Amino acid sequence: MGRKSARNDFEWVYTDQPHTSRRKEIIAKYPQIKALMGADPQLKWIVSAMVLTQLLACYLVRTLSWKWVIFWAYAFGGCINHSLTLAIHDISHNVAFGNKHARWNRWFAMFANLPIGMPYSASFKKYHIDHHRYLGGHGLDVDIATDLEGWFFCSPLRKLLWLFLQPLFYALRPLYVNPKPVTRLEMLNAVVQFAADLLIYYLCGLKAVVYLVAGSILCMGLHPISGHFIAEHYMFLKGHETYSYYGVLNLLTFNVGYHMEHHDFPSIPGSKLPEVKKIAAEFYDHLPQHTSWVHVLWDFVFDDSIGPYARVKRHCRLVAQD
């Protein structure tokens, strides 16, 4: 458990990300894919049902012992909350109400945020656009670990700890790598979120709030669903910086496993990404893919060639903001 990773730096490249060129090729050959872009009319109902389920769970856990509160937070509530973060990921691309109603998408993302217990949706939107625009961009893509993370979390035991602490790094890393001014939308997100937390505390007690917050932290850390964080962009094969996963856990995660397809067509809802894969199969079938997020986590911890440094990085030229 004490051996160190063989990598001591990121995989620096001097090429553009592959998604832009592949998107052009696919649309040129299959222009019907454009019809898949736009709003997913079912998304708002699915997310609403998930939020209401968590509010009901808050009422049910208020009388449980603490050990059962934590158990159900990890085994049930956290899974829903992690799924809601991925719903927010989809909503950040305006697929709940369409591009013409961008503000409705922002407000609905705050609603989806409520069971997570901490304000998240507005900040995520602010940084996620950079992840797509500048994939692997040095100082721009905050999805990539810092040099300190890559240097320190280099042994199996330390990498296991890093996985457990992922929520902390995802929350703090943007403040160091690419700090941006706090927006009014973020302030509103915080006010709405903390008001909801206080209301839940008043109605259901402390255990309900702990159930929500602990579930979010635990299931975004060392948890099978969290395997997607590693599976999406960590370089398991040299030269490949994005990977898809087509397994059953996509049912819980709004098809975030179709990550190659998502980066090629970020304006297509997760529910329709399998259609992209089906239509343009020859563009994806030959690419490396993951078959298990649990296996991804295992390999990340115990494979010496993989760690926080196993990411493709590039220097990107800034483009005009929308």
Side-chain angles (χ1 to χ4, degrees):
M1 293 290 286
R3 66 184 188 276
K4 293 186 176 181
S5 171
R7 298 195 64 91
N8 56 16
D9 197 2
F10 300 102
E11 183 78 8
W12 287 92
V13 300
Y14 302 94
T15 57
D16 292 333
Q17 59 167 296
H19 301 288
T20 304
S21 58
R22 183 165 52 241
R23 174 167 57 248
K24 292 178 180 178
E25 290 179 34
I26 292 176
I27 289 180
K29 187 171 183 179
Y30 300 108
Q32 65 268 33
I33 280 182
K34 292 182 180 179
L36 300 177
M37 300 175 183
D40 176 1
Q42 302 302 319
L43 181 62
K44 57 183 176 292
W45 305 116
I46 296 172
V47 169
S48 297
M50 294 168 69
V51 171
L52 293 176
T53 297
Q54 282 292 72
L55 294 179
L56 175 60
C58 286
Y59 176 80
L60 296 176
V61 302
R62 76 194 194 285
T63 58
L64 296 180
S65 66
W66 280 107
K67 66 178 181 181
W68 286 111
V69 171
I70 300 301
F71 171 80
W72 287 114
Y74 184 81
F76 179 74
C79 297
I80 295 180
N81 282 1
H82 195 138
S83 185
L84 283 170
T85 67
L86 295 170
I88 291 170
H89 164 257
D90 237 18
I91 297 166
S92 74
H93 293 285
N94 293 334
V95 301
F97 297 97
N99 288 321
K100 292 182 179 180
H101 302 288
R103 188 169 297 180
W104 293 9
N105 287 282
R106 302 291 82 76
W107 291 340
F108 188 64
M110 291 185 199
F111 173 71
N113 195 151
L114 295 180
I116 296 170
M118 298 163 287
Y120 165 81
S121 64
S123 296
F124 176 82
K125 166 67 177 178
K126 182 172 70 174
Y127 282 101
H128 188 62
I129 189 171
D130 285 345
H131 172 62
H132 279 270
R133 194 177 267 151
Y134 309 113
L135 180 64
H138 177 62
L140 296 168
D141 185 356
V142 299
D143 187 63
I144 296 180
T146 62
D147 276 303
L148 179 61
E149 292 171 69
W151 168 77
F152 184 77
F153 296 100
C154 58
S155 68
L157 189 59
R158 291 182 185 183
K159 286 191 284 184
L160 190 68
L161 176 63
W162 186 82
L163 290 175
F164 182 77
L165 295 176
Q166 268 195 110
L168 178 66
F169 290 120
Y170 269 94
L172 298 180
R173 191 185 298 137
L175 305 179
Y176 171 76
V177 174
N178 188 16
K180 296 183 178 185
V182 176
T183 66
R184 285 199 286 183
L185 198 63
E186 287 178 289
M187 290 188 283
L188 178 60
N189 187 193
V191 169
V192 169
Q193 185 61 56
F194 291 135
D197 292 344
L198 287 172
L199 182 61
I200 291 171
Y201 173 75
Y202 177 77
L203 295 175
C204 300
L206 179 61
K207 289 180 179 178
V209 177
V210 171
Y211 162 80
L212 295 177
V213 176
S216 298
I217 294 173
L218 292 172
C219 284
M220 290 183 70
L222 195 57
H223 192 279
I225 296 178
S226 292
H228 78 86
F229 287 127
I230 306 300
E232 291 165 0
H233 297 293
Y234 280 81
M235 194 179 63
F236 283 75
L237 290 176
K238 187 176 179 64
H240 294 275
E241 59 185 302
T242 308
Y243 301 77
S244 284
Y245 156 82
Y246 303 115
V248 67
L249 288 179
N250 278 302
L251 296 174
L252 302 176
T253 56
F254 295 91
N255 284 332
V256 75
Y258 287 77
H259 215 67
M260 191 79 71
E261 294 82 353
H262 170 63
H263 270 266
D264 287 353
F265 299 98
S267 58
I268 293 180
S271 62
K272 298 179 182 179
L273 290 177
E275 294 181 54
V276 174
K277 168 75 161 54
K278 184 178 180 180
I279 292 171
E282 72 271 25
F283 286 89
Y284 298 109
D285 286 348
H286 69 285
L287 296 174
Q289 59 187 253
H290 293 294
T291 57
S292 167
W293 282 341
V294 174
H295 198 276
V296 163
L297 293 175
W298 179 273
D299 285 345
F300 180 83
V301 171
F302 293 107
D303 189 330
D304 295 344
S305 67
I306 304 171
Y309 267 140
R311 291 290 298 263
V312 170
K313 287 192 78 173
R314 52 174 58 87
H315 290 285
C316 294
R317 183 174 58 186
L318 291 174
V319 299
Q321 301 294 305
D322 294 333

